[in-house]
Amino acid sequence: MFKKIILSSFIAISSVLLLAACGSGGKDDSSDSASSDKVKIRFSAWDKFPDNIVEEFNKEYPNIEIELVQIPDSDYSQKINQMLVGGTAPDVILSFETDLPKFAETGSVISLDDYLKDTDKIDVDDFIPAVNKLSEQTGGNYGLPWAYASEILFYNKDMFDAAGVDYPTKDWTWDDFEKAAEKLTIKDGNKTTQWGADALTFRGLWWSLAGQGGDDVVKDGKLSLSSGLKDALTYQDKLTNSLKVSPEPSAGDSVADLFASGQAAMARTGSWMTGQYKDVDFNWDIETLPKGERAYNSLHTGFYTINSKSEHKDEAWKFVEFMMSEQGQTLNSKWGNNPSALKTIAEQGAYKNSGENGPTNWEAIERAGQEGEFGYVLVNASTTTNLVNQFDAYLLGTTPLDEIFDKYIPNANKEIEDNQ
């Protein structure tokens, strides 16, 4: 599931802790309660949630105990769905993007709008546009994003300097990217010794290219792909097969990172790679993705949601509210190196973690947040992965362009409809 590479260095998780909730709920603030009994809130995540954040929450709410339910990334969505059906789901669920619309529609999680009206810790008008757009699609705020990751352009400044090519800017277009990639590609006879641009090693970039081409990507819960995707496929085919400034896509999960190894001057990939590239031995920086018909990149996150069957919804909200507060978001950004989806908190820069050689242009990530959308990540992950395989196959000459639109996209939407 390539979309869950996001949100910095996610550690592999082992067992699931199924701990029954105890104590009693109520609308009184737990920190002021005279009762000595703690209300236990079960919270699920696919990562090892930082102890220091829970400790800070407990200082403010000593009568609420957080029990972490840890589930491996690869099993997370399936397990959470099973637990919701079986009535054993945690009180607070960090939900995958693909699950949120379904959870909202089925009533598996509650609307947070009433809580949001009464809080002074979260300003919904401060969210990046994609959050408010999603709330319109789901008919309310059923989940709040713990952070966000975007898709951006990485570039090797040393290679640009050596070739006499100007660095990328926020106004770069597909044409600018193409011309730079040509100048940055170096060949020794028939062998390429330096690529202008790496292949789409993060294959989710295909959806950003389609969005840049002008497609909605996802509309009304289904894939909406037409001329934008066709332009994207044709464009990447030109880079790969005509100009030969970008290598062919690689099969399997063990894909060489040509940018990190100093063999490619540019890479279009996720903002989470800033942490992976922090210690490379060349000078580098970042910029927003080049524009096609428009600016577009796919955003990635997880959403704090409250189980509609929780017996402690008010206490569950206290935890969500804390995590979305300036304090909680700052702690989370320092831990995960990802910006808050609340713009004023992101601007404080707690997520920034530069290496000796880069990056410096952190504003690119915040601009990407403004330009990005929760697009393909909202629909079935296996379906989108299978479709991306066909996009790669087109570059390799094994799947005709017309077949993608006449066969594979309709089949993908039928699969999405059957799974709703």
Side-chain angles (χ1 to χ4, degrees), residues 191-208:
K191 181 181 179 181
T192 301
T193 58
Q194 177 179 298
W195 293 97
D198 202 350
L200 299 180
T201 54
F202 177 63
R203 297 160 73 228
L205 259 295
W206 272 117
W207 305 103
S208 291

Side-chain angles (χ1 to χ4, degrees), residues 274-390:
T274 55
Q276 301 296 315
Y277 296 152
K278 187 166 68 72
D279 298 322
V280 295
D281 60 1
F282 54 82
N283 294 302
W284 62 283
D285 216 330
I286 56 177
E287 189 47 88
T288 45
L289 292 174
K291 300 176 178 65
E293 184 176 308
R294 61 170 176 157
Y296 184 101
N297 77 97
S298 305
L299 300 181
H300 308 258
T301 190
F303 293 94
Y304 291 110
T305 61
I306 297 179
N307 182 355
S308 60
K309 294 184 180 179
S310 170
E311 297 180 359
H312 307 293
K313 294 182 179 67
D314 291 341
E315 289 80 6
W317 167 251
K318 290 297 184 185
F319 179 66
V320 174
E321 181 184 48
F322 175 84
M323 290 309 306
M324 295 304 303
S325 70
E326 181 175 350
Q327 182 183 7
Q329 287 287 284
T330 299
L331 289 168
N332 191 63
S333 289
K334 288 180 178 178
W335 166 63
N337 299 324
N338 292 286
S340 171
L342 291 156
K343 292 174 287 188
T344 57
I345 299 176
E347 289 167 0
Q348 296 173 21
Y351 70 95
K352 299 175 183 178
N353 185 18
S354 296
E356 182 177 349
N357 297 318
T360 61
N361 186 28
W362 290 102
E363 292 79 8
I365 290 180
E366 290 164 34
R367 285 200 302 274
Q370 288 289 109
E371 296 171 355
E373 296 189 21
F374 300 117
Y376 84 97
V377 298
L378 298 176
V379 298
N380 183 272
S382 62
T383 299
T384 56
T385 300
N386 292 337
L387 199 49
V388 161
N389 290 338
Q390 300 304 325

Side-chain angles (χ1 to χ4, degrees), residues 133-177:
K133 183 175 180 179
L134 179 59
S135 69
E136 292 174 2
Q137 294 171 357
T138 56
N141 290 286
Y142 285 85
L144 300 178
W146 73 335
Y148 75 85
S150 55
E151 296 166 0
I152 55 176
L153 174 66
F154 293 76
Y155 62 97
N156 184 318
K157 296 171 73 173
D158 294 341
M159 289 181 177
F160 271 74
D161 291 342
V165 178
D166 291 337
Y167 296 153
T169 72
K170 62 183 177 64
D171 299 317
W172 253 29
T173 64
W174 284 2
D175 187 53
D176 294 318
F177 180 84

Side-chain angles (χ1 to χ4, degrees), residues 174 200 205-215 225-240 268 391 394-395 401 405:
W174 284 2
L200 299 180
L205 259 295
W206 272 117
W207 305 103
S208 291
L209 287 173
Q212 291 161 20
D215 282 347
L225 302 165
S226 56
S227 61
L229 175 62
K230 188 167 291 186
D231 288 346
L233 288 161
T234 303
Y235 175 69
Q236 189 62 32
D237 180 60
K238 182 180 181 182
L239 298 177
T240 303
R268 294 160 292 175
F391 303 161
Y394 166 70
L395 293 186
L401 187 63
F405 293 89

